[in-house]
Amino acid sequence: MALIGQPQYQATADFPAELGYGWNLLAATENGNPLYWDAEVAESLTGGQILPLSTLSIWMRPHRWSPGACGEQVALQCHFDLKEILELPEAIIGGYGCEFAAPVRAGDVISHHQVLRSVSDEKVTRVGTGRFWTIGVEYWNQNGVAVGTESYTGFGYVRGGEGGVVEKSVGSVVVEPEQGWAKRDVAHDQVSVGDRLKPLSHDVTATTVVLGALASRDWRPMHHDYHFATERNGTQDIFLNTPNQLAWFERYITDWTGPKGRIGSMSFQMRDPVYPGDEMVVAGVVVNTFVDDRRCGWVDLELALTAHGVVATTCAVRVALPMKASDNPWCREAHCWHPGGMG
């Protein structure tokens, strides 16, 4: 309890941001957003090339090994500390949230720290007996400018719980395929509550899982080692990691908005793993539109990722769209950019 609210593990990334990291993640999720690939588009919208928003956690993730380091280097060290302190040998991440501030540009050097926000009483769930915890990660660049905040909800446990159900926020989105949809730059006044986004379907393979994990610098073995995943974690196979799902959601949203769409915040609950062999389908619906007091036009979306016939992940998104042809959400400085909470 004494750790709650105390910044821990302040560190600077082992390497400066470079476009190659972004392109690896874009390739892993087949994201063709020209904002990230076309230097002219990037110059016109953001004053130069930027990294995809879904690369945010990369700057927290150390090299798995480096000269002079002792043992395996891991990201989100607070998560592993809690497992040891509370004597909980297994842990999973079930919830994730992020809020994006200034974009990360090539050459930026990103620092971060971790903050434990909460630890629950003991719970009995379908995977075991343990505790939930929430850890925040705050990021800023070499100029002290905030670039984003993440929130991870973990569950540390001893396997063998009976009868319980992992606590989670549950929602559902039922979406029929839309006809005649094409990529475009969507303006705020073109969107209405109830509008449906065209579903995105992708056949998940082991390569899908491993490419996404490597592109996001997530070395945890349950995302590439079948025996670890099945014998240690008790899952049926390796499965998509959290940043990989974030990147697929980013692709899905900007496929709809076009390159002018600027995601402000996102949160999702992972209810079931996504495995090789699954047909992954992402679908979404507009649930709210509004203009804030700084004349920024916002759209709230509810998304659902379906795999092996069930809703595996539910997601809430807030994205800024241009108010008119000349408006560009990417030009908004910090005092005019307030995405709000992460849901």
Side-chain angles (χ1 to χ4, degrees), residues 114-323:
Q114 303 167 39
V115 180
L116 177 62
R117 294 178 176 164
S118 65
V119 178
S120 78
D121 294 333
E122 190 171 85
K123 306 287 185 180
V124 178
T125 78
R126 61 182 171 86
V127 297
T129 301
R131 298 176 188 270
F132 291 89
W133 52 69
T134 302
I135 302 167
V137 185
E138 300 173 357
Y139 299 86
W140 60 92
N141 65 21
Q142 67 279 1
N143 299 317
V145 176
V147 297
T149 303
E150 293 185 304
S151 176
Y152 292 87
T153 299
F155 179 63
Y157 61 97
V158 177
R159 292 175 67 178
E162 297 180 358
V165 177
V166 176
E167 294 184 352
K168 57 180 77 72
S169 173
V170 177
S172 62
V173 180
V174 179
V175 181
E176 297 296 329
E178 182 181 341
Q179 302 299 319
W181 177 89
K183 294 181 182 180
R184 57 196 174 107
D185 282 323
V186 178
H188 189 263
D189 62 4
Q190 296 174 314
V191 178
S192 300
V193 172
D195 287 353
R196 296 174 288 112
L197 283 61
K198 179 186 177 182
L200 168 67
S201 176
H202 184 81
D203 291 328
V204 177
T205 65
T207 302
T208 309
V209 176
V210 174
L211 272 182
L214 291 179
S216 59
R217 295 176 54 83
D218 187 345
W219 323 125
R220 297 298 297 157
M222 66 281 290
H223 306 304
H224 65 260
D225 185 329
Y226 173 83
H227 292 290
F228 186 98
T230 57
E231 297 168 12
R232 177 71 180 272
N233 281 96
T235 59
Q236 70 182 46
D237 206 333
I238 60 175
F239 52 92
L240 288 187
N241 69 331
T242 302
N244 199 353
Q245 292 204 32
L246 172 65
W248 279 103
F249 285 133
E250 179 181 10
R251 177 210 160 162
Y252 180 67
I253 295 159
T254 58
D255 273 0
W256 172 63
T257 66
K260 282 190 175 181
R262 182 179 178 184
I263 300 171
S265 62
M266 186 187 307
S267 63
F268 52 87
Q269 297 290 326
M270 293 172 285
R271 303 168 55 184
D272 221 50
V274 181
Y275 298 117
D278 286 340
E279 180 189 17
M280 176 175 68
V281 180
V282 184
V285 62
V286 177
V287 296
N288 188 32
T289 68
F290 67 98
V291 179
D292 67 20
D293 57 5
R294 296 165 182 84
R295 299 300 300 165
C296 185
W298 295 99
V299 172
D300 290 337
L301 305 171
E302 286 186 358
L303 311 182
L305 186 160
T306 303
H308 47 266
V310 302
V311 175
T313 303
T314 56
C315 179
V317 181
R318 178 162 291 174
V319 58
L321 298 178
M323 294 290 291

